[in-house]
Amino acid sequence: MDLGIKGKWALVCGASKGLGLGCAQALVREGVHVLIVARGAQALEAAAAQLIAEDVRDSGASVHCVAADITTAEGRAAVFAARKDFDIVVTNAGGPPPGDFRSWERDAWIKALDANMLTPIELIKATVDGMAARGFGRIINITSSAVKAPIDVLGLSNGARTGLTGFVAGVSRSKLAAQGVTINNLLPGAFDTDRLKTNMKGAAEKSGQPLEAVMDARRKTIPAQRFGTPAEFGAICAFLCSTHAGYMTGQNVLADGGAYSGTF
Ligand code: NAD
């Protein structure tokens, strides 16, 4: 299927690895010019080189990178100094750490809100009016299945991401909907990325079990009996960015191998 987005420009945040890189790969394969962002220049440049070597092929896409912390005003200014107008924006940053809410002081909450709620809102604010003026725009926020099925130790994530979800539910149904701009959230369940491995390592150390046993037990809780891949996640993202998905807005799209057991 031709996704109809060849030649568009995408900003993909948190894209040196994991789900963000999966989204960048899928977009580049469709001929979308991507500007990828992550904090570490070395890993980011390696990701850009990988995209150019493996994914650009004859798609006509180009790959650009800005090493910046997207959760800071300076980081976002560096990105928009490199390019102002984007047709597609994939918002993404690291998730907050797990823990007990009794130990989280105001600073921990502000950090989580900055990263997982206010940064996506700032990126939306900076880009949607330009998209509307050009008659096409796609915002995809990478959130979490924890928005639908909260996990107790991920209280910082549950709180911050649910705040973003409420904001998106409103803004996606504003005048922007009639101007060709869609805003959707993509909710990962368990995907095979460094973040998942770090979380599993923590669980293994806490329980004293071998890492592979903990990972296996986790896989068995998922109806698909496996973790998702960044490529699968990227393909869903690219479809939501496509011209075919123009009638989908304000949605929370779950990709979790069937782990969430509700009817809706
Ligand atoms: P990851 O750790 O594999 O990759 C995160 C990427 O974001 C890296 O490129 C990192 O450099 C970049 N990044 C982190 N903080 C940044 C910042 N402040 N500015 C710019 N770049 C930054 O993580 P992932 O598994 O791809 O997860 C992506 C998001 O999805 C996270 O918010 C995570 O909490 C969420 N999530 C992941 C899973 C999963 O199973 N992998 C499940 C639910 C939610």
Side-chain angles (χ1 to χ4, degrees):
M1 186 194 281
D2 176 2
L3 297 188
I5 48 179
K6 192 178 168 71
K8 302 278 188 207
W9 272 86
L11 167 61
V12 187
C13 304
S16 66
K17 60 183 180 175
L19 302 180
L21 180 57
C23 294
Q25 282 168 331
L27 290 170
V28 161
R29 284 171 181 227
E30 290 302 316
V32 175
H33 306 295
V34 297
L35 192 161
I36 58 173
V37 183
R39 285 166 304 186
Q42 215 180 337
L44 187 65
E45 278 157 24
Q50 184 192 331
L51 286 168
I52 291 164
E54 295 174 16
D55 301 293
V56 168
R57 298 174 189 170
D58 57 356
S59 72
S62 60
V63 180
H64 310 262
C65 44
V66 173
D69 182 341
I70 199 69
T71 68
T72 65
E74 303 76 53
R76 291 188 291 275
V79 167
F80 291 117
R83 185 177 175 91
K84 201 170 135 281
D85 293 327
F86 294 96
D87 309 299
I88 294 167
V89 175
V90 180
T91 78
N92 179 35
D100 184 329
F101 75 93
R102 293 169 189 82
S103 62
W104 296 327
E105 301 297 344
R106 182 178 166 77
D107 275 1
W109 276 107
I110 296 298
K111 215 170 158 196
L113 290 169
D114 261 342
N116 301 110
M117 179 181 172
L118 300 177
T119 292
I121 292 172
E122 287 293 343
L123 293 170
I124 290 169
K125 185 171 137 188
T127 55
V128 285
D129 291 333
M131 290 174 176
R134 295 186 298 277
F136 179 92
R138 298 284 183 267
I139 305 273
I140 309 294
N141 302 300
I142 300 183
T143 65
S144 173
S145 60
V147 170
K148 264 180 97 84
I151 302 160
D152 63 348
V153 294
L154 293 179
L156 290 169
S157 171
N158 301 336
R161 295 191 203 272
T162 304
L164 173 66
T165 305
F167 171 77
V168 166
V171 73
S172 60
R173 291 167 173 93
S174 69
K175 255 173 47 186
L176 293 165
Q179 295 171 307
V181 180
T182 68
I183 311 180
N184 292 292
N185 304 316
L186 189 41
L187 286 55
F191 277 81
D192 193 3
T193 66
D194 281 0
R195 174 169 168 94
L196 183 91
K197 287 184 195 103
T198 306
N199 288 349
M200 295 279 113
K201 262 186 209 148
E205 276 159 24
K206 218 169 153 187
S207 67
Q209 286 183 286
L211 175 61
E212 202 35 58
V214 172
M215 293 195 50
D216 216 42
R218 179 79 171 86
R219 276 187 205 103
K220 288 195 174 112
T221 66
I222 302 167
Q225 300 280 299
R226 66 176 179 86
F227 299 130
T229 67
E232 287 175 309
F233 191 85
I236 302 168
C237 174
F239 177 75
L240 289 175
C241 293
S242 75
T243 50
H244 309 293
Y247 205 50
M248 269 182 88
T249 195
Q251 300 305 302
N252 290 286
V253 178
L254 186 61
D256 70 347
Y260 176 75
S261 68
T263 304
F264 299 105

